[in-house]
Amino acid sequence: MEPPPPPLRDRDPAALADELVEEILLRSPPDDPARLVHAALVCKRWCRLISAHAFRRRFRPAPMLGFLCNDAPRAREGDEACSVRFVRTAASCPPIATRHGWHALDARAGRVLLHRAAAAAPAQAIRLAVWHPLARRHLDLPPTALPRRPRSWNAALLCDDDEGAFRVVLVGTDAEGAFASVYSSSAAPEPAAWSDPAYAPQHAGDHVDAARGALSGGALYFVCQRRTNLLRYDLATGAMSVVRLPPASHNQRIALTAAEHGGLGFARMEGYRLGIWSMAAARPRGAGEVEWTRDRVIDLRTLLPIIDLLGHAHGHGIVLVGTVDGFFSVDQKSGRITKVGDGPGFYNVVPYMSFCIPALGTVSTDEGASANE
């Protein structure tokens, strides 16, 4: 009689084919990044699989490691005293030092779009940078060369993964209307530079809000300051248009929400309740007219009075709200409320999602030479 097979936990991890290991690891919950870290420590081969771009492209959304909090400067210190403070939510993520003199606009694929306010610089020369905290890389982008002083502006970062090329889309308004300019890091053989701004007629004098934009269906969306419209930028054509929001009784701040499947929505406070809205799949009814559906209402009466909406973790279904006692995450599906950080004194919290994998030299070598490392 043959002996029974050894328990699964005693088997050599190298015995599984790469495809099977990848399929198993893809089922790790995104809200528990420590599981991927533990898997990467099993052996060099597993670490290499998890670190590969192919795995990262399939594993969506990327694990959430923390939040980038823009600390508001004191009035007497000016804009240059602003700073970006990182609040970890995953123990597997190493500490990230505060970036003084910058504030975060957007984050995607492990990289962060930063803005630096410089009192001596011309108003049309907006200074931006792309920062990779885990890789400890910082790239200053060339200053913009807009023809006129912008009345309002915002920007978004686009990238496929944490190592490849990226684009920065800058949108805003000036005396002539709404404009958009794009910086692409893959402009070779020409030096990377900002494109000439493209203009569209300004809509009813509205301006672009500082709230973080959202990517959905091949377009970027930005909230307008009156909170009655969105500015839509088509990534394929560069065309700009206005999308109307459902009416509200108060001009309260809106946090755009982008689901994992690509749908667009928004969250806004309605008294003590948080309303979660989504854009319906139906075709637009007219210029700027779309169908919106209120999917859920979450009662936040148990919290201290809400000061503001601070942001949204795209793909994770988490809305961030601020109170006098700090800021909290609200799960859109379950309604679960969790305190994330202390406050107040901050604005525009940007969630940070990325893969935090140990260096190959630190992983176990139990598989020996069998994997031909």
Side-chain angles (χ1 to χ4, degrees), residues 20-337:
L20 292 177
V21 175
E22 186 170 312
E23 289 300 326
I24 293 171
L25 296 176
L26 283 171
R27 287 158 173 76
S28 299
D31 58 353
D32 189 5
R35 294 200 183 186
L36 281 181
V37 176
H38 295 159
L41 290 170
V42 169
C43 60
K44 289 184 179 180
R45 186 168 65 93
W46 283 29
C47 184
R48 184 164 295 153
L49 286 172
I50 296 172
S51 302
H53 296 322
F55 178 84
R56 298 187 183 198
R57 282 194 296 268
R58 294 184 64 192
F59 192 96
R60 289 290 183 268
M64 181 182 294
L65 302 183
F67 298 94
L68 297 153
C69 302
N70 291 304
D71 291 321
R74 298 182 179 90
R76 65 177 182 274
E77 294 176 344
D79 290 339
E80 294 188 7
C82 62
S83 62
V84 181
R85 175 170 51 92
F86 184 72
V87 176
R88 286 190 298 170
T89 57
S92 57
C93 178
I96 296 175
T98 298
R99 302 284 288 182
H100 296 284
W102 297 87
H103 73 255
L105 300 174
D106 197 8
R108 203 176 305 275
R111 288 179 280 191
V112 183
L113 180 62
L114 300 174
H115 169 240
R116 188 179 191 97
Q124 59 268 33
I126 299 172
R127 298 180 59 189
L128 300 174
V130 174
W131 172 44
H132 195 318
L134 297 180
R136 299 183 180 180
R137 294 199 299 265
H138 177 103
L139 174 65
D140 287 304
L141 305 186
T144 58
L146 302 174
R148 287 171 293 276
R149 178 188 182 96
R151 293 176 174 173
S152 67
W153 66 270
N154 203 339
L157 175 67
L158 301 174
C159 42
D160 293 331
D161 53 57
D162 58 358
E163 297 295 338
F166 65 87
R167 284 179 293 167
V168 175
V169 178
L170 173 74
V171 301
T173 60
D174 63 16
E176 296 296 323
F179 66 84
S181 181
V182 180
Y183 175 91
S184 177
S185 66
S186 59
E190 299 295 329
W194 289 95
S195 66
D196 293 331
Y199 278 82
Q202 187 171 336
H203 179 76
D206 209 349
H207 300 320
V208 180
D209 192 75
R212 185 188 178 202
L215 173 65
S216 175
L220 283 168
Y221 294 84
F222 298 89
V223 180
C224 294
Q225 288 181 355
R226 295 180 180 177
R227 284 79 184 257
T228 58
N229 298 311
L230 303 178
L231 179 65
R232 182 182 187 273
Y233 176 83
D234 191 293
L235 294 172
T237 65
M240 285 177 283
S241 58
V242 171
V243 176
R244 293 189 178 90
L245 292 168
S249 57
H250 301 285
N251 181 20
Q252 292 182 311
R253 195 171 186 186
I254 290 173
L256 293 180
T257 64
E260 184 180 356
H261 56 76
L264 178 72
F266 70 91
R268 71 181 174 196
M269 293 302 303
E270 301 166 357
Y272 282 100
R273 301 183 301 173
L274 178 66
I276 307 296
W277 296 73
S278 64
M279 184 186 292
R283 292 183 178 181
R285 296 176 294 177
E289 297 288 345
V290 298
E291 294 283 353
W292 293 96
T293 303
R294 187 164 62 178
D295 301 321
R296 184 176 175 83
V297 176
I298 303 173
D299 194 340
L300 301 181
R301 206 180 306 269
T302 56
L303 292 180
L304 295 172
I306 304 297
I307 298 176
D308 214 345
L309 286 179
L310 299 177
H312 179 264
H314 301 322
H316 287 261
I318 293 176
V319 179
L320 301 168
V321 298
T323 74
V324 295
D325 189 44
F327 69 98
F328 296 75
S329 65
V330 182
D331 190 289
Q332 291 180 209
K333 293 182 179 179
S334 67
R336 181 181 179 183
I337 301 170

